Amino acid sequence: MAPKKGAPAEEKVQLGRPGNNLKIGVVGLPNVGKSTFFNAITNSAVAAENYPFCTIDPEESRVAVPDERLDWLNEKVKPAGKTPAFLTVIDIAGLVKGAAEGAGLGNAFLSHISAVDGIFHMIRAFTDPDVVHVEGEMDPARDLEIIHNELRLKDVAMLNKYIDLNQRVIDRMGGGGSVEDKKKKDEFAIVVRVRDWVAKGNDVRKGEWSNKDIEVINSQSLLTAKPVTYLVNVSEKDYARKKNKYLLLIKKWIDENNPGDKLIPFSGVFESNLAALPDAAQRKAYTEEMKVESAFPKIITTGYDSLNLMHFFTAGEKEVRAWTCRKGAKMNEAARSIHNDIADSLIQVDVMKFDELKAAGGEAELKAAGRL
C-alpha cells in the first residue's frame, strides 16, 4: 500500500547492531599481513610469526579517527584536553578453506567475526619466499572467493539451523492462528528468503530488504550482513611506486561481485617501518624519502564511515571532544553519546556548522552574523 499523500516517509532501519560502540574486524587468510597491520595501526605487540594460527584469541584496540576539524577547534579554543572519536579494531586469526565446517580453527574464528560489526577484508598482493601462502601460489581472486564462500556457508548453516528448529512449529500452525502466530510465520518466511538469497552466492548486505526484513536479519547476526572494506597489502616497493600487478585483478573481482565496496592499497611493511620510528620528525623524513604517506588515516576513516558512524563536537575550556553517533541520529539520540541524563532532559541545543564557524572565525562572529 502506497503511503498517504503528505505522510512522512518511513525511516529506513539499518542493517547491523544499533549503537555507537561498534567494532571492525580484520579478516583474511593466514599470512596475508593482518597482525602486522594491527601491530602498526595500534602500536601493540600482537605476535606476527609466520605460521597460520599464531593469533588464536582476537586482539582488540581503539584507534583515533583523524579529523582536521577537531585539530582546528583545538587550536582555536586551546582547551586543557582533546579527545578524538575512536574506531575499535579487532585482529582475527586467519580463515582457511573449510572453516565453515570447522577446518583449522574455523568455528572459533567465525564466532569472532560474528561479534564485530564490520569487516576489513585483507588480501595479500605481495610475494615473499619467507612468508608462505597457505594455498601455495598467489591468486588473489581465489583468496577472495575462499573468504566470501566461508562467510556465506556459515550464514547458510546458521539460517538452516533456525529453519530446522522452527519448521514443524510453523507447519502445525496451518493457515490460521493468532497475531503472534502470524508474526512467527512472517519471520520464518523472511529467514527462508534470506537463506535462499545467500545460498545462491549473494551477501545479505547486497540484498533489497524491507524494514521488517532487516529487523529479522539483525536478530540473526549474519556474517555477510556486515559492511566490508577491502585492504590490499602490497610490498613497500609497489606501494612507493603506486603499481602492483594484482590490483586491477582484485578491483575487477570486487566490481563484479560486490560493486560499490571500497578498496584501499597499503603496505604492511611500510606502515610497520613507519610506526617503529621514535618521533614525528623521523616519520616525516621517512615518508618524504619514500614519497608516500601512510594509508592508515584513509583506512580508519573509511572503516568508521562503513559502520554508518559520524561525530559531532563540543568545545570548551576543559576539552574539545568528538562524540560518536549513528548517521541520521536525532538530537536526543546523539546526546545519549554524552550522557543518558542529558538525552532524557534535552529540549533544544545551539548548533553550529563547522564550515560556517571556520569561515566566520569563531563563535562570537558566527552569532553576530545570525548563523547560530
Side-chain angles (χ1 to χ4, degrees), residues 101-144:
E101 284 79 43
L105 298 174
N107 286 328
F109 296 160
L110 287 165
S111 73
H112 294 156
I113 300 171
S114 182
V116 301
D117 304 283
I119 293 172
F120 279 146
H121 183 162
M122 190 170 297
I123 308 108
R124 175 173 172 171
F126 65 88
T127 55
D128 186 337
D130 295 326
V131 182
V132 297
H133 194 295
V134 71
E135 289 293 319
E137 60 186 27
M138 287 287 297
D139 186 345
R142 175 208 58 210
D143 297 349
L144 284 158

Side-chain angles (χ1 to χ4, degrees), residues 189-203:
I190 291 169
V191 170
V192 171
R193 186 153 42 86
V194 175
R195 188 274 313 272
D196 292 345
W197 170 261
V198 180
K200 290 176 182 175
N202 303 302
D203 284 0

Side-chain angles (χ1 to χ4, degrees), residues 258-275:
N258 289 305
D261 285 356
K262 300 288 180 65
L263 178 157
I264 305 175
F266 82 104
S267 169
V269 172
F270 170 80
E271 300 292 355
S272 184
N273 289 340
L274 186 64

Side-chain angles (χ1 to χ4, degrees), residues 38-64:
F38 184 84
N39 290 348
I41 204 168
T42 65
N43 289 318
S44 70
V46 180
E49 288 88 348
N50 170 31
Y51 57 94
F53 306 115
C54 67
T55 310
I56 296 173
D57 294 318
E59 298 287 338
E60 177 175 334
S61 186
R62 293 198 315 160
V63 295

Side-chain angles (χ1 to χ4, degrees), residues 176-315:
S178 64
V179 172
E180 188 62 30
D181 289 344
K182 184 179 184 306
K183 182 180 177 183
K184 288 178 180 177
K185 284 189 282 189
D186 288 347
E187 181 175 317
F188 185 83
I190 291 169
V191 170
V192 171
R193 186 153 42 86
V194 175
R195 188 274 313 272
D196 292 345
W197 170 261
V198 180
K200 290 176 182 175
N202 303 302
D203 284 0
V204 172
R205 64 198 176 91
K206 295 299 181 179
E208 293 290 332
W209 311 108
S210 69
N211 280 353
K212 191 173 182 180
D213 295 337
I214 292 172
E215 287 172 359
V216 173
I217 289 168
N218 286 347
S219 72
Q220 300 295 316
S221 299
L222 299 174
L223 306 183
T224 66
K226 303 176 190 300
V228 177
T229 301
Y230 295 92
L231 306 182
V232 182
N233 191 4
V234 303
S235 68
E236 186 173 43
K237 179 181 177 182
D238 282 358
Y239 186 66
R241 66 192 186 116
K242 298 180 175 64
K243 289 183 179 179
N244 178 272
K245 65 180 180 180
Y246 299 112
L247 271 178
L248 284 178
L249 177 80
I250 295 168
K251 178 70 165 60
K252 182 173 182 288
W253 188 95
I254 293 170
D255 289 344
E256 290 176 354
N257 292 275
N258 289 305
D261 285 356
K262 300 288 180 65
L263 178 157
I264 305 175
F266 82 104
S267 169
V269 172
F270 170 80
E271 300 292 355
S272 184
N273 289 340
L274 186 64
L277 295 173
D279 56 58
Q282 290 187 52
R283 288 191 289 273
K284 184 174 185 291
Y286 187 62
T287 57
E288 288 175 351
E289 176 190 344
M290 299 297 294
K291 295 183 172 60
V292 285
E293 296 293 331
S294 170
F296 283 170
K298 183 177 182 180
I299 289 171
I300 294 167
T301 54
T302 302
Y304 185 82
D305 185 67
S306 77
L307 295 175
N308 225 20
L309 298 175
M310 60 170 287
H311 46 266
F312 62 95
F313 306 100
T314 56

